[in-house]
Amino acid sequence: MPDTPFGFQLPGGQPPDPNDPRQMQQFMAQLQQLLAAPGSGPVNWDLARQVAASQLAAEGDPSVNPHEWHTVEESLRVADLWLESSSTFPSGIRTSAAWNRNEWIYRTLDVWRKLCDPVAGRMVGAMGDLVPPEARSQLGPMHAMMTTLGGALFGGQLGQALGSLATEVLSASDIGLPLGPAGTAALLPANIRAYGSGLELPEEEVRLYVALREAAHQRLFEHVPWLRGHVLAAVETYASGITVNREAIEDALGRVDPMNPESMQEIAMEGIFTPEDTPAQQASLARIETVLALIEGWVCHVVDSAAGERLPNVVKLAEAFRRRRAAGGPAEQTFAALVGLELRPRRLREAAALWAALDTHRGIDGRDALWSHPDLLPSDDDFADPEAFAQAKTDFDLGDIDFGGDPPQQPEPPEPPTDGPR
């Protein structure tokens, strides 16, 4: 975690000394400038990027060297070849990339904005509501400052969560959401190396398995046109229904000492967001959990089919990744506390068994044809009896399904500075 409020540092990368009046004056000027520029949304995303970058600078962010670029590109190429016999969908990779941790944040920030702004808007609005309505006309600047402070608080906390998550993710699609640019398959060599050492398995095997998972995600999201928007819309709908605990906000703000900027670092957003226990919110959560499980279950089944006789440690790798996705890491748990939503597939094993049963009874074409429309996908109830679902309703026409259409082009963000080759 940064040692300064929201991760602020003075030029040169050093935190301000609370006992040095000159440094604290410089720090307060930086903070005042921040609060004077709230940005265009409920989250101060400039601050989030700054905090994440500061955290990664403290923890280390190894640059990607040319050899790593080559091995990542080769692993993704091999993975795509192996998947040809395991999936109806053609390759979804238009660009291969090796990212460091900062670049993962940069490349995925647009999607995080879509996911987090609905929740942040509710929190920031609740902070503004702490100013009594009858006093807002007289305290206009203070009301605006409360809103800006809310965006800064959320941005700072979110930056810490993204900075932590950047040290854990292995690829662009690692948490099951289409976070990166469409058609871009990316691996994070430093994180793969660290994860592989913990498994005590050869790094090459771990990298190939991650590449298979990334290539499978890319095939699915690239050639199922409705899926990307469906997943993101489901998360946004759930987030927009989350309520805000005003008492928790008041308690958090009560711990801020204006004379001690470091007190702002102690504010935690955990507990501020509470899901509404309404039928609509429960249904929204069920849709998210089901589609995440179906995506992850399909990827696990397809990858294990492709790697079965090619990777000596495929059984150990498959079990390790299932446990990893089902449990979620510390950073995922922090993110869940911030936005009130856990992004992990709770019924992953059942979903994988269902896709395997479909493969057995309908073949690869029949299995993958279910992705042609959301109404064809298994429901949560179907997880209980995969065999019955797989043997039912096999009379739809596969001829009208286009698995190879060109997806709509999306603009790429500007290239960030990077140490790796392009």
Side-chain angles (χ1 to χ4, degrees):
M1 290 293 206
D3 295 325
T4 56
F6 302 138
F8 281 123
Q9 294 179 338
L10 297 175
Q14 297 299 316
D17 182 356
N19 298 316
D20 186 328
R22 182 184 61 82
Q23 289 190 17
M24 290 308 298
Q25 183 178 12
Q26 187 177 359
F27 167 77
M28 291 304 294
Q30 186 180 14
L31 182 60
Q32 184 177 12
Q33 181 181 12
L34 170 72
L35 295 179
S40 58
V43 177
N44 190 319
W45 287 101
D46 288 338
L47 179 58
R49 283 193 297 266
Q50 179 181 347
V51 170
S54 175
Q55 185 168 325
L56 291 177
E59 296 182 2
D61 185 13
S63 59
V64 179
N65 61 49
H67 174 69
E68 288 172 325
W69 265 90
H70 174 74
T71 56
V72 164
E73 289 178 336
E74 182 65 13
S75 296
L76 287 168
R77 186 188 68 81
V78 170
D80 238 1
L81 288 175
W82 288 3
L83 289 171
E84 284 298 315
S85 61
S86 300
S87 169
T88 303
F89 305 123
S91 173
I93 299 176
R94 286 180 270 154
T95 304
S96 298
W99 291 345
N100 63 7
R101 294 162 179 171
N102 263 300
E103 192 165 8
W104 176 83
I105 292 175
Y106 176 86
R107 293 292 188 180
T108 63
L109 208 58
D110 284 346
V111 175
W112 288 119
R113 188 191 302 268
K114 293 178 182 178
L115 296 177
C116 297
D117 274 355
V119 179
R122 285 178 171 265
M123 190 273 284
V124 172
M127 289 189 67
D129 290 343
L130 294 178
V131 178
E134 62 274 10
R136 290 176 190 173
S137 58
Q138 292 86 3
L139 300 176
M142 179 176 290
H143 182 254
M145 187 182 74
M146 290 292 290
T147 301
T148 304
L149 179 61
L153 285 172
F154 199 92
Q157 295 279 321
L158 186 58
Q160 291 180 11
L162 291 177
S164 297
L165 196 54
T167 66
E168 297 178 4
V169 293
L170 306 178
S171 69
S173 307
D174 193 27
I175 65 171
L177 296 178
L179 295 176
T184 297
L187 308 186
L188 282 73
N191 292 359
I192 292 173
R193 185 164 52 249
Y195 181 66
S197 65
L199 294 178
E200 298 182 348
L201 291 175
E203 182 181 340
E204 181 182 1
E205 276 196 62
V206 178
R207 184 174 58 250
L208 265 171
Y209 197 82
V210 175
L212 280 164
R213 289 176 49 80
E214 176 70 2
H217 276 104
Q218 293 296 332
R219 286 177 182 241
L220 192 59
F221 281 110
E222 193 79 351
H223 296 292
V224 180
W226 57 267
L227 184 58
R228 179 181 293 264
H230 180 81
V231 172
L232 296 180
V235 175
E236 289 180 50
T237 300
Y238 177 80
S240 65
I242 291 176
T243 57
V244 179
N245 187 335
R246 289 187 57 179
E247 291 183 1
I249 292 179
E250 291 178 351
D251 180 66
L253 293 178
R255 295 196 298 271
V256 176
D257 179 2
M259 302 305 295
N260 178 22
E262 290 188 345
S263 66
M264 299 175 73
Q265 179 65 34
E266 300 173 1
I267 294 179
M269 296 291 105
E270 288 87 345
I272 286 182
F273 307 110
T274 55
E276 270 189 288
D277 190 21
T278 64
Q281 194 69 351
Q282 289 176 350
S284 179
L285 179 59
R287 283 194 297 271
I288 294 171
E289 292 180 342
T290 299
V291 73
L292 288 179
L294 288 172
I295 291 170
E296 195 66 25
W298 184 88
V299 167
C300 287
H301 170 65
V302 168
V303 165
D304 292 348
S305 297
E309 298 181 358
R310 294 180 170 110
L311 291 180
N313 292 291
V314 64
V315 174
K316 185 174 182 179
L317 282 163
E319 181 60 24
F321 274 81
R322 280 182 173 82
R323 290 178 180 274
R324 179 176 179 269
R325 287 296 292 123
E332 283 189 72
Q333 295 164 13
T334 300
F335 177 77
L338 283 174
V339 302
L341 176 65
E342 293 181 343
L343 298 174
R344 63 180 196 248
R346 295 183 179 277
R347 305 192 67 180
L348 170 56
R349 293 182 188 275
E350 294 96 323
L354 194 152
W355 290 117
L358 284 163
D359 195 339
T360 299
H361 293 287
R362 305 191 190 183
I364 293 175
D365 287 349
R367 179 200 69 195
D368 290 351
L370 294 184
W371 289 107
S372 62
H373 193 279
D375 291 346
L376 294 177
L377 287 178
S379 67
D380 187 62
D381 294 337
D382 294 320
F383 289 4
D385 194 347
E387 293 293 324
F389 178 84
Q391 295 180 59
K393 300 179 182 178
T394 59
D395 57 348
F396 51 86
D397 184 8
L398 302 180
D400 296 331
I401 300 171
D402 178 13
F403 291 120
D406 292 332
Q409 297 293 316
Q410 297 189 11
E412 295 282 347
E415 291 290 335
T418 177
D419 296 327
R422 286 290 186 267

